[in-house]
Amino acid sequence: MTIVEDIQAMREIIQDWKHRNSSIGFVPTMGFLHEGHASLIRKARKQNDKVVVSIFVNPTQFGPNEDFENYPRNMENDTQQCDKEEVDLIFAPCTKEMYPDPTYAFVDINQLGNSLCGATRPGHFRGVCTVVNKLFNIVMPDRAYFGEKDAQQLVIIQQMVHDLSIPVQIVPCPIVREKDGLAMSSRNSTLSPQERTAARVLSKSLELANNLMMQGETSASVIRSQMKEKIQLEPLATVEYIEIVDAQTLTPLENVKGDVLIALAVKIGNTRLIDNYRTHLEAI
Ligand code: PAF
């Protein structure tokens, strides 16, 4: 496995692979890899001749008061994980390599990026789109793998690829959960043991929403308020948002029907966690 830190060296390797007609699968990450990332890598491994994983904690997607500095990092463990999953190349640039001064051009996504996570994280998806676009231009993958846990990110990347005619196939990958239902995330590592127990409330509230829908409840506001009540019973949890939206357009729904995405962000102590549940409901 090769580890590459600079863009020029990447270009030479990618050009060589392209000359040999090797297909390239790409898993963009911010490192601190877990089973969720491993599932993306395994899918990429099955579907492509070459697999590239990028490890880059992207400063432009963090707000001024967010956890960029404290975002968990462990390059040694990430390298071992990638080696185990038979990754061909890790691209691990430094910030200067990705954002040499001065940088003027960004990729923006307008209203898709203003709701849900974007409402409390202004500029977040501009940062995500910009870095993913840059990474696509460097890695030139045939397929790129994104987790469904970041549901809004996935919709936005699919839209960006469509709107900007980027020649890459986006492959969505299902959420990987711990045994007790908590969605895997690098941020879980920052939870104390009590917070880790409290964090179960995210998936439990989604289970509650699913049960309500199975019992025939169609009102989004009823489902949201019951979810909120459940989360508020957990003293360490603070709801940032609970939204029930159309899974493609991310517009809020009054009644659950069609492709429904229930998404939430909850702070457990100081750690912000997200989770979601996607379903298709026929109109009654
Ligand atoms: O999902 C992530 O880890 C990041 O948002 C991504 C796609 C690697 C861009 O920095």
Side-chain angles (χ1 to χ4, degrees):
M1 188 180 66
T2 318
I3 302 179
V4 177
E5 291 175 1
D6 72 282
I7 296 173
Q8 190 48 40
M10 279 298 289
R11 296 218 190 280
E12 285 159 24
I13 294 170
I14 299 293
Q15 213 170 35
D16 179 52
W17 288 353
K18 296 267 174 199
H19 276 139
R20 293 166 199 268
N21 278 332
S22 300
S23 60
I24 302 174
F26 176 42
V27 182
T29 81
M30 298 208 297
F32 214 78
L33 304 182
H34 49 69
E35 263 305 298
H37 295 112
S39 75
L40 271 57
I41 297 172
R42 279 174 210 141
K43 201 162 189 176
R45 183 69 284 165
K46 277 204 190 106
Q47 297 182 340
N48 302 277
D49 300 317
K50 301 286 183 189
V51 175
V52 176
V53 172
S54 66
I55 296 178
F56 178 62
V57 184
N58 172 37
T60 65
Q61 67 189 77
F62 289 82
N65 300 318
E66 293 186 15
D67 55 352
F68 172 68
E69 296 299 339
N70 297 328
Y71 194 84
R73 293 160 170 89
N74 189 340
M75 190 61 192
E76 202 181 315
N77 188 57
D78 291 349
T79 309
Q80 278 170 16
Q81 290 274 326
C82 287
D83 217 14
K84 191 169 134 229
E85 300 300 338
E86 297 174 35
V87 167
D88 295 284
L89 186 154
I90 295 178
F91 177 49
C94 65
T95 305
K96 244 337 204 193
E97 183 70 8
M98 288 299 276
Y99 297 108
D101 291 327
T103 300
Y104 295 114
F106 289 89
V107 180
D108 220 333
I109 189 77
N110 286 330
Q111 70 263 30
L112 274 182
N114 296 336
S115 61
L116 306 172
C117 290
T120 47
R121 305 187 73 189
H124 169 67
F125 288 110
R126 181 187 197 241
V128 170
C129 286
T130 302
V131 80
V132 170
N133 215 303
K134 282 170 74 75
L135 290 166
F136 283 171
N137 286 334
I138 296 163
V139 179
M140 298 172 72
D142 297 276
R143 298 179 191 85
Y145 297 78
F146 289 84
E148 288 175 346
K149 183 173 82 69
D150 296 299
Q152 185 177 17
Q153 170 171 283
L154 177 57
V155 169
I156 285 175
I157 298 293
Q158 283 168 325
Q159 192 67 45
M160 176 184 81
V161 162
H162 174 264
D163 290 353
L164 301 181
S165 310
I166 302 175
V168 60
Q169 183 193 339
I170 302 300
V171 184
C173 302
I175 299 176
V176 180
R177 297 184 179 278
E178 302 283 357
K179 279 201 183 78
D180 65 0
L182 178 65
M184 291 209 182
S185 163
S186 306
R187 288 196 169 96
N188 294 351
S189 66
T190 63
L191 298 168
S192 70
Q194 292 95 317
E195 289 170 346
R196 172 63 189 80
T197 308
R200 288 160 47 183
V201 77
L202 277 88
S203 59
K204 295 283 170 226
S205 72
L206 290 168
E207 260 172 54
L208 170 68
N210 187 32
N211 289 340
L212 289 168
M213 290 187 291
M214 293 298 102
Q215 287 157 21
E217 181 57 69
T218 58
S219 160
S221 74
V222 170
I223 297 169
R224 282 174 53 190
S225 60
Q226 296 224 18
M227 288 174 73
K228 195 168 178 181
E229 260 175 47
K230 181 167 184 75
I231 297 171
Q232 281 171 338
L233 290 176
E234 172 47 66
L236 295 177
T238 315
V239 175
E240 186 181 285
Y241 71 78
I242 301 170
E243 297 287 354
I244 302 183
V245 297
D246 177 283
Q248 260 116 46
T249 62
L250 305 181
T251 48
L253 295 172
E254 270 178 40
N255 291 301
V256 288
K257 61 171 186 291
D259 280 329
V260 176
L261 174 72
I262 306 183
L264 74 164
V266 176
K267 267 195 144 180
I268 303 288
N270 289 323
T271 305
R272 183 180 181 278
L273 299 177
I274 59 171
D275 199 351
N276 70 79
Y277 174 70
R278 194 180 161 155
T279 186
H280 182 86
L281 295 168
E282 298 299 337
I284 302 164

